[in-house]
Amino acid sequence: MAIRHFLSLLDLSPTELNHIIKRAIELKALRNQGVNAPLFHNKVLGMLFEKSSTRTRVSFEAGMAQMGGSALFLSSRDTQLGRGEPIEDSARVISRMLDLVMIRTFGHNVLQRFAQHSRVPVINALSDSYHPCQLLADIQTYTEHRGNPQGKTVAWIGDGNNMCHSYINAARQCNFELRIACPEGYEPDQSLLNAAGDRVQMVRKPIDAVRNANWVATDVWASMGQETEHEERIRTFAGFLVDHELMSHASSDAVFMHCLPAHRGEEVSAELLEDNTISLVWDEAENRLHAQKALIEFLLKHSSSIN
Ligand code: CP
Ligand code: NVA
């Protein structure tokens, strides 16, 4: 049995993805009944962070503890990685001591290089290219509130960033139609669009993406690592705010999602974010906990690590 990594949503088959979402919903129900089965007893997750995090760190760390395992927070500022020890060497050493590793980093190639030299499953906890763990939570959230997203229309408004890329992969895996509205120059990677075919459509105006959509999602205009571009991006992205007015063009059962943290008054209005008849952001954040437990269970079950 080979080692299974989760660097993008495409590392799972649609059937496997479906299984993980179902299991996440099941694990959530069990936790709500006070059941935390010690399925990860003695398992240790390493958490390598090169960027900040609230949800990702808390959900992985709490998730491991609740399932009988533990997690190690490893900031690049405090490890030898931050002083230039090669990724390949770090991967070989760390993966001999732990059972799984999650990495939040800049270049996606860091994850690929780590995974190539790792004896244990590696999880992408956000790179400049993808944020697949967030999509597990988003798909779980849509499924809980509105059912299977297959055949639905999803609108992505704003930057063609790591989240947008993961929505493109989700459109392929879940078979929904995705309409993306980005300002000129901020489009997602063309090769991902080509691979997704006619499931994904690019439009210029947010209203054209949102019309009759079942699910509308956005994200910050300046991602981690783009802080110096923030002011310029605010000017370029004017007109890409998601608010009640924009949502009024969507389907009457449309939901709003945002991976958080949100910038109220920039990409989303404070009123929409707080309107829990439309906005699912708090469930979406909570579901990181449940979806990642299901993911870890799947990766451990389907990997024969040497440890
Ligand atoms: N959505 C998300 O990944 O949040 P954090 O940056 O707080 O982990
Ligand atoms: N696109 C954002 C997502 C944060 C969870 C970033 O990369 O900073």
Side-chain angles (χ1 to χ4, degrees):
M1 212 190 326
I3 296 162
R4 296 290 300 265
H5 301 296
F6 183 63
L7 307 191
S8 93
L9 279 181
L10 303 182
D11 286 331
L12 300 173
S13 71
T15 311
E16 288 169 341
L17 175 59
N18 209 20
H19 161 82
I20 288 173
I21 300 302
K22 277 200 180 127
R23 182 64 177 147
I25 293 170
E26 216 171 88
L27 288 169
K28 181 175 183 175
L30 285 171
R31 178 165 159 73
N32 288 340
Q33 291 157 28
V35 181
N36 286 311
L39 298 172
F40 306 158
H41 180 62
N42 278 345
K43 299 292 180 195
V44 185
L45 167 75
M47 305 192 300
L48 272 171
F49 280 96
E50 295 197 288
K51 291 176 175 170
S52 304
S53 167
T54 297
R55 280 143 288 269
T56 302
R57 179 180 177 182
V58 173
S59 56
F60 271 110
E61 197 163 329
M64 287 305 292
Q66 288 162 8
M67 302 289 273
S70 57
L72 275 181
F73 176 72
L74 301 164
S75 156
S76 58
R77 275 188 292 275
D78 311 316
T79 56
Q80 298 289 6
L81 262 173
R83 297 181 58 247
E85 184 169 13
I87 298 290
E88 291 77 3
D89 295 2
S90 305
R92 282 178 278 200
V93 172
I94 292 172
S95 72
R96 282 174 181 238
M97 300 177 187
L98 302 176
D99 301 284
L100 290 121
V101 178
M102 61 117 282
I103 303 176
R104 170 166 284 197
T105 189
F106 292 88
H108 193 68
N109 72 324
V110 170
L111 276 148
Q112 289 168 325
R113 284 162 59 202
F114 195 105
Q116 246 164 31
H117 294 86
S118 175
R119 288 185 171 194
V120 299
V122 177
I123 297 171
N124 179 359
L126 184 147
S127 65
D128 289 344
S129 304
Y130 302 107
H131 195 4
C133 290
Q134 184 66 53
L135 261 289
L136 295 182
D138 290 19
I139 296 165
Q140 179 186 344
T141 308
Y142 189 84
T143 306
E144 286 173 340
H145 285 266
R146 295 286 187 270
N148 194 324
Q150 182 170 351
K152 301 288 181 182
T153 301
V154 182
W156 175 266
I157 310 298
D159 193 15
N161 64 9
N162 46 7
M163 279 295 298
C164 178
H165 287 165
S166 285
Y167 266 83
I168 294 171
N169 285 342
R172 292 174 64 178
Q173 297 293 68
C174 301
N175 213 359
F176 57 69
E177 190 197 330
L178 178 65
R179 296 194 214 123
I180 301 172
C182 298
E184 214 176 322
Y186 294 87
E187 294 86 358
D189 193 297
Q190 188 60 44
S191 64
L192 288 180
L193 291 172
N194 294 345
D198 54 16
R199 265 188 226 89
V200 181
Q201 211 194 321
M202 291 293 306
V203 296
R204 221 23 108 195
K205 293 191 194 140
I207 193 172
D208 291 334
V210 159
R211 201 168 280 121
N212 299 324
N214 305 102
W215 170 358
V216 178
T218 189
D219 185 15
V220 291
W221 293 339
S223 285
M224 289 182 276
Q226 298 171 333
E227 287 78 5
T228 56
E229 299 172 29
H230 191 203
E231 290 309 313
E232 184 193 331
R233 282 172 174 260
I234 287 181
R235 286 191 292 277
T236 310
F237 283 77
F240 284 77
L241 167 87
V242 184
D243 59 6
H244 278 103
E245 202 288 315
L246 188 66
M247 290 300 294
S248 72
H249 300 278
S251 166
S252 56
D253 69 347
V255 297
F256 171 75
M257 290 201 218
H258 188 311
C259 63
L260 305 178
H263 289 185
R264 289 167 172 82
E266 289 184 22
E267 74 277 3
V268 58
S269 70
E271 296 75 19
L272 177 63
L273 194 76
E274 299 293 349
D275 178 356
N276 59 19
T277 64
I278 305 176
S279 167
L280 305 182
V281 297
W282 313 120
D283 282 354
E284 184 187 358
E286 176 190 333
N287 283 339
R288 293 291 302 278
L289 176 71
H290 313 296
Q292 286 157 198
K293 283 180 185 171
L295 173 70
I296 290 170
E297 183 183 50
F298 173 87
L299 293 176
L300 288 175
K301 204 182 279 177
H302 291 86
S303 299
S304 60
S305 71
I306 301 158
N307 291 336

